[in-house]
């Protein structure tokens, strides 16, 4: 029992040592998210005031007047103060989509995942564990890191003489699960921001729509002849905010579903490679080895 406990303790050390790194990465990613949102808002306000609100887009050179016919910059500016918020959300979807694409590209590694998993299975079939580890070093990325951790544990358990076969298989499986648990959070990071934008962008656009309709009906409620210009501006503000909100929400939904499917592919590849490692170990080390000494 003392020998078994001594062997079980080192298996838990990699996870404990890797946890601070995960926390550091998570903190850095959170800072990136905050910085990206603030930057997107600043850029949106600048674009709204100095680009969309430039006098060249309006009659008489004054943004208080109606936009020039066919000038869409002026039309969007008339969407009101909700427009920069919606532009911020749109830019955030773009920024975090690019960030997720780069992260998942690095997680995939240098070559095709399907080709990598196929090579690992071929190496395992001929019991070439060293060659499989070398393939992981060449591939790099999150999937290769998890598979390499399982292969290193495979070699360790193959040399172990004081544990039952089931305990060895369980140790390999636990190592793969721990490595996966350390890698997956980084793959899913910031996806919650994209999913949140997909939910609230339409609602923010609806707020702008309501404000525009209030302005439109206020123009109708004026005494005497209805203010046709005010009515038109109010309806324009409502429709612009609706269009921006729906467009941002639709883009966020597409991005979220796309990246979720990519993460599912990576996790499936990890599961497939992990299953092959465990099955190969069970087949190659079917006989239980014991130390004959008491």
């Amino acid at each position: 029992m003392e020998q078994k406990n001594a062997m079980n303790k080192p298996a838990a050390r990699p996870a404990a040592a890797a946890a601070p790194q995960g926390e550091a990465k998570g903190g850095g990613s959170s800072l990136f998210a905050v910085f990206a949102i603030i930057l997107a808002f600043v850029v949106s306000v600048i674009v709204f005031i100095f680009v969309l609100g430039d006098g060249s887009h309006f009659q008489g050179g004054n943004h208080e007047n109606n936009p020039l016919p066919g000038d869409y910059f002026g039309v969007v500016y008339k969407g009101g103060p909700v427009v920069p918020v919606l532009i911020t959300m749109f830019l955030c979807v773009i920024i975090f989509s690019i960030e997720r694409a780069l992260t998942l590209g690095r997680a995939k590694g240098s070559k095709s995942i399907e080709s990598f998993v196929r090579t690992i299975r071929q190496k395992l079939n001929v019991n070439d564990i060293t060659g499989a580890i070398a393939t992981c070093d060449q591939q790099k990325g999150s999937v290769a890191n998890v598979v390499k951790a399982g292969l290193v544990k495979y070699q360790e358990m193959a040399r172990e003489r004081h544990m039952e076969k089931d305990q060895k298989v369980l140790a390999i499986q636990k190592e793969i699960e721990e490595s996966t648990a350390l890698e997956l959070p980084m793959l899913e990071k910031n996806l919650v921001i994209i999913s949140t934008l997909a939910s609230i962008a339409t609602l923010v656009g609806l707020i702008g729509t309501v404000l525009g309709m209030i302005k439109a009906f206020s123009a109708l409620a004026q005494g005497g002849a209805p203010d046709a210009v005010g009515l038109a501006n109010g309806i324009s503000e409502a429709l612009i905010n609706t269009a921006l909100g729906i467009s941002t929400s639709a883009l966020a939904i597409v991005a979220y579903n796309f990246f979720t499917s990519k993460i599912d592919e990576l996790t499936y590849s990890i599961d497939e490679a992990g299953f092959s490692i465990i099955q190969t170990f069970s087949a190659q080390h079917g006989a239980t080895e014991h130390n004959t000494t008491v």
Side-chain angles (χ1 to χ4, degrees), residues 1-17 153 156-157 160 163 171 174-175 178:
M1 291 298 295
E2 292 179 356
Q3 290 177 338
K4 292 182 179 179
N5 291 335
M7 291 303 301
N8 289 337
K9 287 181 181 179
R13 290 177 184 172
K153 196 67 175 180
E156 179 183 341
M157 291 297 101
E160 173 58 40
M163 297 175 65
K174 182 179 179 182
E175 183 70 20
E178 289 179 350

Side-chain angles (χ1 to χ4, degrees), residues 106-171:
R106 291 193 300 269
K108 185 179 69 173
S110 58
K111 298 179 181 179
S112 169
I113 287 293
E114 293 78 7
S115 176
F116 168 71
V117 173
R118 185 165 53 251
T119 302
I120 291 296
R121 297 183 70 174
Q122 292 172 352
K123 298 289 185 180
L124 290 173
N125 289 336
V126 296
N127 200 29
D128 184 9
I129 308 302
T130 302
I133 293 176
T135 302
C136 293
D137 292 333
Q138 296 174 358
Q139 176 73 10
K140 299 180 181 180
S142 297
V143 177
N145 291 339
V146 174
V147 175
K148 181 179 179 181
L151 292 171
V152 171
K153 196 67 175 180
Y154 182 110
Q155 287 185 326
E156 179 183 341
M157 291 297 101
R159 294 189 298 266
E160 173 58 40
R161 296 293 182 268
H162 305 291
M163 297 175 65
E164 300 287 342
K165 172 190 170 183
D166 292 341
Q167 291 177 318
K168 295 180 181 181
V169 171
L170 183 61

Side-chain angles (χ1 to χ4, degrees), residues 37 39-49 51-52 73 76-77 80-95 197 201 204 240-241 244-245 248:
I37 293 173
L39 178 62
F41 179 73
V42 172
V43 171
S44 300
V45 172
I46 293 175
V47 170
F48 180 75
I49 295 176
V51 178
L52 301 179
F73 281 12
V76 174
Y77 179 82
V82 181
V83 169
V85 178
L86 291 170
I87 295 177
T88 300
M89 293 181 175
F90 182 82
L91 291 178
C92 285
V93 173
I94 299 297
I95 292 172
L197 292 174
V204 175
I240 288 169
N241 285 290
L244 287 175
T248 301

Side-chain angles (χ1 to χ4, degrees), residues 209-264:
T209 301
V210 172
L211 295 177
M213 295 306 296
I214 291 174
K215 184 182 295 185
F217 283 108
S218 296
L220 285 175
Q222 291 180 356
D227 185 359
V229 175
L231 177 62
N233 287 337
I235 295 175
S236 175
E237 178 177 339
L239 296 177
I240 288 169
N241 285 290
T242 302
L244 287 175
I246 292 176
S247 300
T248 301
S249 180
L251 180 62
I253 291 173
V254 171
Y256 178 80
N257 290 335
F258 174 78
F259 293 124
T260 300
S261 65
K262 290 299 180 182
I263 293 174
D264 290 340

